[in-house]
Amino acid sequence: MDVPLTIGVLGGMGPAATIDFMTKVLRHSQAGAAREQDNVRLIVDSNPALPDRNAAIAGTGPSPGPGLAAMARGLEAAGAQLLVMPCNAAHAFADAVLEATSLPFLHLVDETVSVVANDYRSARRIGVLAVNGAAQARLYERALQAKELLPVVPDQPARAAFMEAIWQIKAGDLAAGRAGVIGTANRLIEAGAEVIIAGCTEVPLVIGADDLAVPLIDSTDVLARRAVAFARSVI
């Protein structure tokens, strides 16, 4: 009997975001499953010991690239047939994953921007909630501009407040983190953003679509939905 591809998850960046991704994979998988055995298989390497992506991109810390490559090879050896990485900033080191294995790899940033371009065709100004590393690497800025969309990003004070909120979420203080994330998102809306991308996988842990005056694109959910669809495309 044909079965979906096994999804290998390069996770732990951070751990709660990886669990959120797994939960969303299950939700999308159950939508097409008649029984428990029809759900997609996940092999997860949740490795919070990887070097900080923000410091690595800023040039003040070691690269997580070698660790990501080792994780990719380990997932392939364990039976993974498709790789995903539910951390936006880590995609600055996606080449390390691509070079470590020949498995297909779903690029979180590209998949998210494709959803924005396809589902919100009238929107031109796209707000990006992303950590310092992702912003410094211009991950979303370049992907949006390639689609002729205008990124709307926080100014320095708003970005500092957003980073503080992300560290609070990672430490488990969701209430404080939520307030900081919503505040930054509203600053982007005031600056003209017509859609907001949750370009950090900690963001969906504290806010949802009903919290903002414009559509919120959950990059974690986009990746989970695409991963399930890709895994099942072989059946």
Side-chain angles (χ1 to χ4, degrees), residues 63-117:
S63 171
L68 292 172
M71 290 168 70
R73 289 191 291 266
L75 289 167
E76 182 176 27
Q81 299 165 293
L82 163 68
L83 296 178
V84 296
M85 186 162 61
C87 172
N88 285 276
H91 280 69
F93 306 93
D95 284 350
V97 177
L98 295 170
E99 292 167 4
T101 171
S102 61
L103 295 180
F105 174 71
L106 292 182
H107 194 287
L108 172 57
V109 174
D110 291 345
E111 296 291 342
T112 301
V113 170
S114 289
V115 167
V116 173

Side-chain angles (χ1 to χ4, degrees), residues 34-151:
R35 54 183 188 148
E36 180 179 298
Q37 289 77 13
D38 295 329
N39 285 292
V40 298
R41 181 185 179 190
L42 293 177
I43 300 176
V44 181
D45 185 350
S46 183
N47 181 10
L50 283 167
D52 179 66
R53 281 68 61 199
N54 296 288
I57 294 167
T60 59
S63 171
L68 292 172
M71 290 168 70
R73 289 191 291 266
L75 289 167
E76 182 176 27
Q81 299 165 293
L82 163 68
L83 296 178
V84 296
M85 186 162 61
C87 172
N88 285 276
H91 280 69
F93 306 93
D95 284 350
V97 177
L98 295 170
E99 292 167 4
T101 171
S102 61
L103 295 180
F105 174 71
L106 292 182
H107 194 287
L108 172 57
V109 174
D110 291 345
E111 296 291 342
T112 301
V113 170
S114 289
V115 167
V116 173
N118 292 333
D119 294 356
Y120 298 90
R121 294 178 182 271
S122 65
R124 310 311 305 165
R125 297 175 60 85
I126 312 300
V128 181
L129 290 172
V131 297
N132 288 344
Q136 189 170 348
R138 295 183 54 79
L139 297 177
Y140 275 100
E141 288 83 347
R142 286 186 283 111
L144 287 166
Q145 289 167 350
K147 299 283 189 182
E148 299 185 344
L149 298 171
L150 177 65

